[in-house]
Amino acid sequence: MVFAAPGEALTRAEELLGADPSPLHASIAHQVIGIWQRDFGDTRRALAHLRRARDLAARADSAEREADVLATLGVALVHSGRTREGLAAFERGVARGTGHTRARVLFRRAYVWWVLGRHGEALEDVRRAIPVLRQAEDVIWTARALTLRATVHLALGSVERADADFTAAEALWDTTGQEHDKADAVESRGLAAFRSGDVPAALRLLDEAEERYAKLGTPTFMLTIRRCEVLMAAGLATEALTEADGAIAALDGIGGQSTRKAELLLVAARAARLADDPRTALARAALAVRLFAAQRRTWYETHARLVLIEARVATGRGSGRLVADAAAVAERLAAFGAPAAPEASLLAGRIALGLGWTADAERHLAVAARSRHNGPPLARMTGWAAQALRARAAGSARGVLEACRRGLDVLDDHRMTLGASELRARATAQGAELAALAQRASLVSGGPRRLLVWSERWRATVLSAPPTRPPADPVLLSAMTAFRELAARAEEARTDGGRPVPALEREQRRLEREIRSRTLHMRGEAPGDGDRFDVGRLLRRLGDDVRLVELAVLDGRVHVLLCGQGRVRRFEAGLLAEAEVEAEHVQAGLRRLAHPGAEARLPLVEAAGARLQRLLLGPAAAHLGTGPVVVVPPGRLHRVPWALLPALRERVLSVSPSASSWLRAKDTAPPPGGRQVLVRGPGLASEGAEVPELSDRYAGQWSAGGDEAWMPSSGGPTGARGALARDGREREAHGVSAGPGDGTTPGGPLVLEGDEARVPRVLRELDGAALAHIAAHGTFRADSPLFSSLRMADGPLIVHDFERLDRSPYRIILPCCDTARFASVGADELLGLVTALLPLGTAGVVACTAPVNDAAVVPLMLALHKGLDAGLSLAEALRDARAALPSDAVHQATGWAFSAFGAA
């Protein structure tokens, strides 16, 4: 019962002890309390109860009872770090028990061998236990033994054997009421899914196991360790570190198992290393090594030493001693049959290469490269990385490029099994080294065209295929509706009282976690992208007039690849780090210029724009020609206001995440019908003043007042409403209703405002529209970019909502602040509102990278739509709209803050 219903078992054991039981029954009660404390509470109390249970079993003169307690005590001693005492208890238990009891003791000793990383001994003991347990028709312990054997097989990389044992164990669990063990079986299936490379299934099963454990009220430290491993494989290392550190604190708080603490420290160290936090990795790994050594857990200690060496290398401590240490770790891991052995050999080879020890490097890299043809995707990636480094050391650029191509193909296939766009984006980090190696090899031997191909090979790959549509999951839909309602209530409370409401915000965060969790469970449906980038096709589409400027970053320096007139040329520009600093200065200047009275800063911002041009374009700025320009920046430069650069200021200018995505946008046909949707959300300082004027102009009155009809009556909300009222009277004179709630006119756009601007209705109308103008307060979430939102009448419209569209609008205009902000993740990926729209059918977006003056946006938007009505593209219309603005600092800064993305 202690595993089927732990709380009830604890209560009944305590009640039994209060009833003056016999030594035999008291021994059982103390053993139950000891198990509960060992697994869910304080190990010191567990040891006290288990020693008492052992002594009472001896008094009862029951050798079988004593053997059973000794096995439980042995597990507790090992978990508390007293390995020698624990193994001695097992020796006595095996000697005292017979038949069925001895089989149970052997099973628990096999478990301890697994904890200690001694997998051969674990398999031997469980091999001896299973036939006896089966013969005794002991379903529960047979299922436990099969689950343990499967887990050992997984540790040794034998996924098929593990799957067979898990399947057999699950069939047995279905015949029992052991709810804790059933949850453990689901957790184990999650681990098996992860080892076979199915990350979404692993996350789904581990979340299901967590729900089952929560109903039982049991802690989940082992589950946390496994979940952190999956999160790291999915590119979510920062989250894994947070979870691991939280579990360590919780374990310390209850005086929990020393063995679990060591394992959590190892996971935290690995997560910190992957999250580019080598100092934290050093601290966690060093403590894990000490604990594992004291616990005599050589398997785990060796894994911790691998992370420790990786962290030392990451802090710049490459040395001959570290080569020897990494090689020794690789040998020990290989002797254990550990899947991590190639990683250690790759590390030794990398360090040796850095020291110029080519012979040593070749030896270690050759060992690591053997893993490139089999095993899970990330193990094969390790092998191809080793092969690429071998080729580079041998001076074979062709060999480098072939290894990088093969390795990135493996990662491509892996990424496309992931349904969530966030996981696809973050997974690219695992290919960053291969992409960089290929770019360097291309720079040396292949010329600008080859460098362009490899720059495109691993840039904005998340946009290469639409994300998997979220399933018609009622739980997910319900959570999204509840999240929206709660966020609206929290926003209302902040607006009314000026203070947040902690209870609402806590529940909002819980719902965010649930939505994100269920979204990450989605499995990818699209095959790998077989449409490889073709330089010739790009040059043909550019023609003689258009220039595409792709910025590649190699070893911290910006290289400009200028495409057009049938050729690709390369220019060297400045350092990326300096450009990032300058871009932040420009952003700060634009924020100041959004408010009247900061005119004196305008020359400073313009000067910063000139410095940015030197750093980002260098000599290429003089070779841009006179036609339109498409800029393809790396992800880390997504906040640059490109229209501020002097060479681009008066250009038809568009921005694209990659040349490939620009080509796709160029080839995207507008939907039939030309349907237009204008949305006005609440809470805008300008009250979305351009929307009513645009409604009337698009309704067929563009020519009534000539060019003047395109400007607001007084440049602000009141003037716009006045124009709306005046035009409404004119419409009534023509027999067209303009009464309250009438959002459109025959042949005109659909207007959603007030209570009609609710998320379900807005999404329904946006799906497949030709043009959408959404005037709504925008919020960018750097901590969770797919919860970036536009505020509607019933709450936030988030990126996850847009991903439910069958086809997002062909053109979208987002006139409010921060709608073009992104989070840079993975190798060179961006997560945000604009990048979510591009794979869904949107060919062009106008959005803003900085806070802007709401009143100054109105004339810019009206002038922009005037150009669209004249048949211009978004980039052409935006260029003309900037030129039509007043020359004061506020309006100039507003124009620079907006960019046209895509090719529509």
Side-chain angles (χ1 to χ4, degrees):
M1 185 186 285
V2 75
F3 294 111
E8 186 181 349
L10 179 66
T11 300
R12 287 179 60 176
E14 290 171 340
E15 288 173 352
L16 179 61
L17 288 177
D20 193 24
S22 67
L24 184 70
H25 290 171
S27 170
I28 294 171
H30 278 290
Q31 185 180 8
V32 166
I33 296 172
I35 291 172
W36 193 97
Q37 290 288 356
R38 181 196 69 195
D39 290 352
F40 314 132
D42 189 327
T43 52
R44 289 168 296 184
R45 292 182 181 179
L47 291 171
H49 280 285
L50 292 173
R51 287 186 175 115
R52 181 69 175 144
R54 177 198 59 195
D55 295 344
L56 287 165
R59 277 178 53 192
D61 197 24
S62 171
E64 301 298 304
R65 173 104 283 279
E66 189 177 353
D68 196 76
V69 175
L70 282 167
T72 303
L73 177 61
V75 173
L77 285 165
V78 170
H79 272 314
S80 66
R82 299 154 89 163
T83 302
R84 185 180 298 170
E85 289 180 58
L87 293 176
F90 274 111
E91 285 297 321
R92 293 196 299 276
V94 171
R96 295 284 285 161
T98 60
H100 185 204
T101 300
R102 179 181 288 173
R104 287 185 173 190
V105 174
L106 287 170
F107 157 73
R108 282 176 281 191
R109 189 168 70 175
Y111 166 78
V112 161
W113 290 133
W114 171 71
V115 169
L116 296 172
R118 293 167 64 172
H119 299 113
E121 291 98 323
L123 288 174
E124 175 59 24
D125 272 354
V126 83
R127 182 191 64 78
R128 293 167 61 192
I130 286 176
V132 179
L133 295 171
R134 277 181 169 151
Q135 188 175 12
E137 297 183 349
D138 188 340
V139 173
I140 290 173
W141 285 75
T142 301
R144 287 173 179 164
L146 288 168
T147 301
L148 174 62
R149 188 168 69 182
T151 305
V152 176
H153 283 319
L154 279 182
L156 295 172
S158 302
V159 177
E160 291 182 2
R161 290 181 178 179
D163 191 54
D165 277 344
F166 280 138
T167 301
E170 194 166 4
L172 293 176
W173 288 129
D174 285 340
T175 67
T176 75
Q178 296 294 114
E179 295 306 320
H180 184 278
D181 286 304
K182 287 181 182 179
D184 184 67
V186 174
E187 178 185 340
S188 298
R189 281 171 48 218
L191 180 62
F194 169 54
R195 293 283 188 258
S196 66
D198 192 344
V199 170
L203 288 170
R204 175 177 56 78
L205 289 164
L206 293 179
D207 284 349
E208 180 186 338
E210 186 173 30
E211 291 173 10
R212 289 172 177 257
Y213 287 131
K215 290 177 183 176
L216 297 172
T218 59
T220 55
F221 297 113
M222 192 67 228
L223 177 70
T224 297
I225 292 167
R226 288 170 171 171
R227 180 173 163 78
C228 286
E229 289 179 356
V230 180
L231 289 174
M232 285 186 281
L236 302 170
T238 302
E239 291 182 31
L241 176 59
T242 300
E243 286 200 25
D245 279 349
I248 292 168
L251 196 65
D252 286 341
I254 63 171
Q257 298 170 355
S258 173
T259 50
R260 287 287 178 262
K261 180 174 180 178
E263 292 163 22
L264 283 164
L265 283 165
L266 172 56
V267 165
R270 289 183 56 224
R273 179 182 58 78
L274 292 173
D276 293 325
D277 186 357
R279 296 194 179 281
T280 299
L282 272 172
R284 302 288 191 279
L287 183 53
V289 166
R290 289 199 295 273
L291 285 176
F292 286 133
Q295 295 163 5
R296 298 170 180 259
R297 300 172 72 188
T298 311
W299 162 279
Y300 288 98
E301 181 191 348
T302 307
H303 282 80
R305 288 192 183 281
L306 172 59
V307 182
L308 187 63
I309 297 166
E310 288 173 332
R312 285 173 176 160
V313 172
T315 57
R317 302 186 190 178
S319 67
R321 172 67 182 274
L322 285 181
V323 175
D325 289 347
V329 164
E331 288 179 11
R332 284 200 293 274
L333 290 174
F336 292 142
E343 292 178 34
S345 293
L346 175 60
L347 178 61
R350 268 206 198 99
I351 304 169
L353 272 183
L355 296 171
W357 297 2
T358 53
D360 289 306
E362 166 60 24
R363 186 172 70 255
H364 298 305
L365 293 173
V367 173
R370 293 173 193 160
S371 68
R372 67 190 185 275
H373 294 304
N374 47 54
L378 298 185
R380 283 179 281 151
M381 286 281 297
T382 296
W384 284 115
Q387 186 68 9
L389 289 173
R390 291 179 73 196
R392 190 183 72 170
S396 171
R398 182 176 180 179
V400 170
L401 295 177
E402 175 64 12
C404 291
R405 182 185 66 78
R406 298 284 296 274
L408 291 178
D409 284 348
V410 170
L411 193 49
D412 265 341
D413 291 341
H414 168 63
R415 282 191 316 108
M416 298 313 292
T417 68
L418 308 175
S421 55
E422 178 180 2
L423 289 188
R424 288 187 188 176
R426 294 187 184 278
T428 61
Q430 292 146 351
E433 181 186 19
L434 287 173
L437 284 169
Q439 284 183 307
R440 291 189 196 102
S442 299
L443 182 64
V444 171
S445 66
R449 282 197 177 213
R450 182 173 285 177
L451 180 57
L452 176 63
V453 168
W454 279 100
S455 178
E456 282 292 299
R457 178 66 178 82
W458 210 242
R459 180 191 292 265
T461 58
V462 74
L463 306 183
S464 62
T468 301
R469 296 292 189 277
D473 177 355
V475 176
L476 176 60
L477 293 173
S478 173
M480 292 178 75
T481 300
F483 162 76
R484 190 155 38 249
E485 292 173 354
L486 211 65
R489 286 169 54 197
E491 178 65 27
E492 184 179 351
R494 283 190 290 267
T495 303
D496 293 345
R499 290 189 301 178
V501 180
L504 288 179
E505 293 187 340
R506 279 196 301 272
E507 180 62 10
Q508 184 177 336
R509 286 193 294 272
R510 186 193 68 78
L511 287 167
E512 282 186 16
R513 288 193 297 271
E514 182 175 344
I515 292 166
R516 186 163 179 263
S517 174
R518 298 191 80 87
T519 303
L520 297 182
H521 295 169
M522 294 187 302
R523 185 171 174 80
E525 299 170 354
D529 184 14
D531 183 19
R532 294 296 187 200
F533 174 68
D534 183 344
V535 177
R537 177 169 166 253
L538 172 67
L539 294 173
R540 288 192 297 274
R541 295 294 274 142
L542 291 172
D544 291 333
D545 294 332
V546 183
R547 301 287 187 277
L548 184 139
V549 177
E550 179 146 334
L551 305 183
V553 179
L554 281 80
D555 300 320
R557 183 167 292 280
V558 177
H559 294 256
V560 183
L561 298 172
L562 181 59
C563 310
Q565 291 184 311
R567 58 180 177 157
V568 181
R569 290 178 286 173
R570 183 180 68 85
F571 301 87
E572 278 196 21
L575 296 176
L576 177 66
E578 293 180 12
E580 287 183 287
V581 171
E582 202 65 64
E584 287 303 316
H585 290 160
V586 167
Q587 284 290 329
L590 290 178
R591 283 194 294 271
R592 292 286 300 276
L593 290 174
H595 304 283
E599 292 81 0
R601 299 194 64 84
L602 183 61
L604 299 177
V605 172
E606 290 182 307
R611 289 193 295 273
L612 263 179
Q613 177 170 301
R614 289 194 295 274
L615 289 167
L616 296 178
L617 299 182
H623 299 273
L624 296 177
T626 59
V629 174
V630 181
V631 177
V632 179
R636 288 168 62 181
L637 293 175
H638 64 274
R639 297 203 67 195
V640 172
W642 296 98
L644 177 61
L645 275 58
L648 304 176
R649 199 168 294 173
E650 298 179 3
R651 298 255 183 185
V652 174
L653 170 66
S654 56
V655 180
S656 182
S658 68
S660 300
S661 63
W662 181 82
L663 281 170
R664 282 192 296 274
K666 194 76 174 170
D667 293 339
T668 300
R675 185 161 54 87
Q676 301 153 347
V677 181
L678 306 178
V679 181
R680 181 156 59 157
L684 292 171
S686 70
E687 299 183 11
E690 75 275 13
V691 171
E693 297 224 13
L694 293 174
S695 172
D696 290 335
R697 304 301 191 271
Y698 274 123
Q701 299 188 27
W702 299 104
S703 60
D707 289 350
E708 293 79 8
W710 271 101
M711 300 306 289
S713 302
S714 63
T718 304
R721 287 198 298 271
L724 175 62
R726 181 177 65 251
D727 291 337
R729 290 192 294 272
E730 292 174 5
R731 287 159 61 191
E732 288 176 346
H734 288 85
V736 179
S737 171
D742 174 48
T744 187
T745 61
L750 174 69
V751 179
L752 300 176
E753 56 188 348
D755 198 51
E756 289 189 333
R758 301 174 72 84
V759 170
R761 174 78 190 279
V762 169
L763 287 173
R764 192 163 62 247
E765 301 301 343
L766 290 181
D767 211 327
L771 172 68
H773 179 107
I774 308 176
H777 180 70
T779 300
F780 174 70
R781 288 279 302 275
D783 63 319
S784 191
L786 297 190
F787 281 92
S788 299
S789 63
L790 299 170
R791 186 178 168 195
M792 298 291 113
D794 58 337
L797 171 63
I798 60 176
V799 174
H800 288 299
D801 289 312
F802 278 105
E803 290 186 339
R804 304 188 71 83
L805 295 175
D806 287 330
R807 177 175 179 174
S808 59
Y810 177 70
R811 286 174 170 169
I812 297 184
I813 299 169
L814 302 170
C816 297
C817 301
D818 290 339
T819 47
R821 288 188 62 187
F822 310 100
S824 181
V825 301
D828 199 9
E829 305 292 324
L830 295 171
L831 291 178
L833 183 54
V834 171
T835 54
L837 295 169
L838 293 177
L840 295 171
T842 294
V845 181
V846 167
C848 174
T849 62
V852 288
N853 184 283
D854 285 343
V857 169
V858 175
L860 179 72
M861 291 297 107
L862 292 172
L864 172 69
H865 280 268
K866 175 187 174 183
L868 296 180
D869 190 55
L872 300 181
S873 68
L874 286 171
E876 291 167 334
L878 185 57
R879 188 270 312 266
D880 291 353
R882 288 193 194 101
L885 289 175
S887 59
D888 62 274
V890 171
H891 285 89
Q892 291 298 304
T894 301
W896 292 331
F898 280 88
S899 295
F901 297 86

